[in-house]
Amino acid sequence: MTTMRDIAKRVKVSASTVSRVLNHDETLSVSPETKQKIFEMAEQLNYRTLKSRRLQSGILKEEVFSTDQMSLGMIVLQSIKEEVNDPYWLSIRQGVEKECSKLGIASLKLMRLQNTSRIQEELRNLNGVIIIGRIDHHVLQTIRSYNPNIVLINQDSHEDQYDSIIFDYDKAACLAMDHLLENGYKRVGYIGGTELISIEEADGLKRIYVPDMRKIVYERKMAEQNTYDPNLVFIKEYSIQSGYELMKKAIEKGSIPEAFFIASDSMAIGALRALQEADIAVPDDVVIVSFNDIEMAKFTSPPLTTVKIPTEEMGRLGVRVIVDRLKGRDMPIKMIVPVTLVVRESSVINDKTLSDKR
């Protein structure tokens, strides 16, 4: 059976271009000569659209694409350095790549967004786009003008235009804080990073800081206990090195708190090293609850108690959602993945919960 790839190979264009020509996409910028060659080759090879094949076989549901005809784009809003420093983002991207491979997606193009004008032609030649990270509404609207088939991962669309895969940041951070506060810890420190969102300015895309929900929840919970102390809050970029440096700073201040909520496992790994160098035992002298549950979290010394975010599954779901949209779904959907607290030795003493320490 002839596929769009067969036609593309003969005409020497991409499969996505063949798909858009045969589906009469008026936004496609291609010469009349090329369009004519595609139609003639489709006829010569006796190509039938997926729609006509399904109608002929008696299947009522009409689909425009099959996965081996799909060309997807993945816009990653983090730099390579940010991905290396925080495996959270890398795990989402790998989930996208693994699911595309599993489903036999024809092609997946990785784009690190610097300026929307530079990638507009690429966006037009794709069937759909997966965006990983936080992005300003106006930048999103610009991307949508080039390609309307979009799924957001780790960002709520707050509109009815886009599909999105998210988790409840407030609930996740509350799991970490409640684990400490409900076991009697009053003096809790916070080590966290800076949340960035991409906005577009005249000279290109910029990243700006926005409030981090983990820090907001920490401050709210401590205020409710009347124990909030700004001197116990330490902020830098998300990385192992930052976690190390911030914990050293906390130690140098003296009177280290009883517990820490650390906003990422990467930062917690660095913090553990600083504590070990200072001969401060975890969990005997200070307990730690972290966030993300990256692969390394269970191999640290001690293993980290952390809030598990199913990052790889978020990436996989993003692919399934965009495939579902390309097969005919019009209504945008929002998927909220579950979060759980994974209790390990960084908040457990002698196989007892930290409440026994109190």
Side-chain angles (χ1 to χ4, degrees), residues 88-89 134 154-156 158 166-177 190-196 209-222 233 235 238 261-264 291-292 307 309 339:
Y88 174 87
W89 302 111
R134 301 185 66 177
N154 204 76
Q155 175 169 326
D156 194 341
H158 297 297
I166 61 172
F167 69 91
D168 189 333
Y169 263 99
D170 190 288
K171 178 182 177 181
C174 283
L175 286 175
M177 287 301 298
Y190 177 84
I191 289 177
T194 48
E195 279 281 290
L196 295 169
Y209 297 119
V210 293
D212 189 312
M213 183 55 67
R214 285 159 285 196
K215 181 172 178 286
I216 290 172
V217 170
Y218 164 80
E219 292 172 337
R220 185 180 77 223
K221 290 285 185 179
M222 297 305 290
V233 177
I235 305 293
Y238 281 106
F261 172 28
I262 302 182
S264 81
F291 203 89
N292 289 343
V307 179
I309 312 299
V339 294

Side-chain angles (χ1 to χ4, degrees), residues 50-238:
L50 186 60
K51 175 180 178 180
S52 65
R53 293 198 302 270
R54 291 196 177 272
L55 288 175
Q56 187 176 39
S57 62
I59 299 175
L60 295 179
K61 183 177 178 180
E62 299 176 10
E63 297 177 347
V64 179
F65 300 107
S66 63
T67 53
D68 67 349
Q69 298 167 351
M70 291 180 187
S71 180
L72 302 181
M74 176 170 56
I75 295 179
V76 177
L77 298 171
Q78 300 74 42
S79 65
I80 295 175
K81 180 182 177 182
E82 286 174 313
E83 274 194 341
V84 170
N85 286 340
D86 191 354
Y88 174 87
W89 302 111
L90 178 61
S91 179
I92 294 176
R93 175 164 70 83
Q94 289 174 336
V96 171
E97 292 167 345
K98 289 177 181 178
E99 192 66 16
C100 282
S101 176
K102 176 183 175 182
L103 296 179
I105 302 294
S107 68
L108 175 67
K109 182 173 182 59
L110 171 64
M111 295 174 280
R112 295 190 187 272
L113 194 60
Q114 308 256 322
N115 189 312
T116 52
S117 63
R118 295 178 185 175
I119 63 169
Q120 57 182 274
E121 194 59 38
E122 291 177 291
L123 289 170
R124 288 194 180 104
N125 289 328
L126 297 168
N127 299 128
V129 182
I130 298 167
I131 301 178
I132 301 174
R134 301 185 66 177
I135 189 169
D136 178 67
H137 168 74
H138 295 96
V139 181
L140 194 52
Q141 286 289 80
T142 301
I143 293 173
R144 187 173 186 270
S145 68
Y146 304 136
N147 193 315
N149 299 316
I150 294 172
V151 60
L152 305 173
I153 301 182
N154 204 76
Q155 175 169 326
D156 194 341
S157 68
H158 297 297
E159 295 181 22
D160 295 330
Q161 294 178 318
Y162 310 102
D163 296 325
S164 60
I165 313 293
I166 61 172
F167 69 91
D168 189 333
Y169 263 99
D170 190 288
K171 178 182 177 181
C174 283
L175 286 175
M177 287 301 298
D178 290 345
H179 182 64
L180 296 171
L181 297 176
E182 289 175 2
N183 283 279
Y185 284 86
K186 294 181 172 59
R187 202 160 177 268
V188 179
Y190 177 84
I191 289 177
T194 48
E195 279 281 290
L196 295 169
I197 187 170
S198 297
I199 66 168
E200 193 157 31
E201 295 184 350
D203 57 344
L205 218 61
K206 301 292 184 184
R207 306 286 302 285
I208 64 169
Y209 297 119
V210 293
D212 189 312
M213 183 55 67
R214 285 159 285 196
K215 181 172 178 286
I216 290 172
V217 170
Y218 164 80
E219 292 172 337
R220 185 180 77 223
K221 290 285 185 179
M222 297 305 290
E224 289 172 356
Q225 305 291 320
N226 294 316
T227 55
Y228 175 69
D229 182 352
N231 292 314
L232 300 181
V233 177
F234 305 90
I235 305 293
K236 209 171 182 181
E237 72 272 5
Y238 281 106

